[in-house]
Amino acid sequence: MARLNVNPTRMVMSKLKGQLKVAIKGHKLMKDKRDELMRIFLDLAREIKALREEVEPMLEEVYGSFSVARAVMTPEMLEEALMYPKQSVKLVAEEKNVMSIDVPSFDFEQENTQTGSVYPYGFATTSGELDKSIEKLSILFPKLLQLAGMEKEAMLIADEIEKTRRRVNALEYVKIPNYKETIKYIKMKLDENERGNQTRLMKVKDMMLKENIEQQREKDAEMLAQMAD
């Protein structure tokens, strides 16, 4: 613990007591925020894990079907089949507030450039595996978008947890002990000064009492002398 470099006065001590009260209240609020962020983060991590376990096998199936399609089709045929898509996707990125943290929220708008199915090609020169990969990818795309948003949210919350943890530790192990140590030091100095003042007052009182006694003795001596004459 390090004592703050301040003048040991009552005004400074009163100011430090107010700052200590604010620091203790802020420490409690920060701890509550950290605990709530941890709860949100753990719930989100469980959701991300469940969604990943659902998405990854589907993604493997998409890659597998597409690999087979590339194997049975020539590169020119594959490029021609996918050259003019029938659908376009517009990504909509918004923000939502979680414990004073702005986290992204993704959505998409799907637009059909042509009427009909999702397949942008005829079936005469293409492989059935390509159909499977495109169909599965169209189902998988919203889940991938949701997963991306959730993982970004988890990263932002983790960063905020770390910042909040540092603030809690700074208050708990630095600020609050420093305030307490400084207040204790000022109180000790003020008590010491008060004791010194009391000692000086007692000495002054003794000196005045002694002087009064001497004066009284002189008066008594004068009166005795006059009576003797």
Side-chain angles (χ1 to χ4, degrees):
M1 292 184 294
R3 176 171 55 81
L4 300 177
N5 186 19
V6 295
N7 292 325
T9 63
R10 293 190 183 278
M11 185 178 294
V12 172
M13 185 170 71
S14 177
K15 183 179 178 182
L16 287 175
K17 283 182 177 179
Q19 291 176 346
L20 175 61
K21 186 177 180 181
V22 171
I24 291 172
K25 185 177 180 181
H27 176 257
K28 182 180 183 305
L29 292 174
M30 284 291 178
K31 280 188 71 176
D32 292 344
K33 179 181 178 181
R34 181 197 62 188
D35 295 342
E36 181 63 16
L37 284 173
M38 283 296 299
R39 185 192 66 78
I40 293 173
F41 179 80
L42 292 174
D43 290 344
L44 186 60
R46 283 190 284 268
E47 293 178 12
I48 290 173
K49 182 176 181 294
L51 187 57
R52 268 193 168 279
E53 290 174 351
E54 180 184 355
V55 163
E56 287 180 351
M58 296 174 66
L59 198 58
E60 288 180 4
E61 291 178 8
V62 170
Y63 285 142
S65 299
F66 192 74
S67 297
V68 173
R70 288 184 61 184
V72 298
M73 295 175 62
T74 63
E76 293 78 11
M77 291 172 60
L78 186 60
E79 183 178 353
E80 183 180 352
L82 302 176
M83 187 176 295
Y84 300 107
K86 287 186 177 181
Q87 293 182 342
S88 63
V89 174
K90 179 181 178 182
L91 180 64
V92 180
E94 297 178 347
E95 288 185 347
K96 62 180 180 179
N97 190 279
V98 178
M99 296 290 291
S100 303
I101 310 169
D102 292 328
V103 298
S105 175
F106 297 128
D107 199 359
F108 70 98
E109 297 175 359
Q110 189 169 313
E111 299 176 355
N112 291 333
T113 56
Q114 300 179 24
T115 58
S117 65
V118 69
Y119 307 110
Y121 50 79
F123 299 110
T125 58
T126 57
S127 167
E129 294 297 327
L130 183 60
D131 301 344
K132 289 181 182 179
S133 64
I134 290 177
E135 181 182 1
K136 290 175 182 176
L137 191 60
S138 65
I139 297 171
L140 185 60
F141 182 75
K143 296 182 183 293
L144 288 173
L145 198 59
Q146 181 186 1
L147 181 61
M150 291 171 66
E151 289 187 339
K152 182 63 177 178
E153 180 179 348
M155 288 174 58
L156 293 173
I157 291 175
D159 289 342
E160 188 65 21
I161 289 172
E162 181 61 22
K163 291 177 185 177
T164 306
R165 185 188 65 81
R166 289 199 195 102
R167 290 169 185 160
V168 168
N169 289 342
L171 287 170
E172 184 172 352
Y173 299 111
V174 181
K175 286 286 186 182
I176 292 175
N178 287 354
Y179 285 144
K180 289 181 176 179
E181 184 69 17
T182 306
I183 290 169
K184 180 181 177 182
Y185 164 75
I186 293 175
K187 189 175 184 303
M188 182 183 67
K189 280 292 184 182
L190 292 175
D191 291 344
E192 183 180 332
N193 292 338
E194 187 175 351
R195 286 193 298 271
N197 290 335
Q198 288 178 350
T199 302
R200 283 192 293 271
L201 287 173
M202 290 176 66
K203 286 182 178 180
V204 170
K205 184 178 178 181
D206 290 341
M207 290 172 63
M208 291 178 65
L209 183 60
K210 185 177 180 181
E211 185 178 352
N212 289 336
I213 292 172
E214 291 293 333
Q215 290 176 356
Q216 188 63 40
R217 284 177 179 174
E218 290 177 359
K219 288 180 181 180
D220 292 343
E222 290 176 0
M223 289 178 63
L224 289 173
Q226 290 176 0
M227 290 174 64
D229 292 340

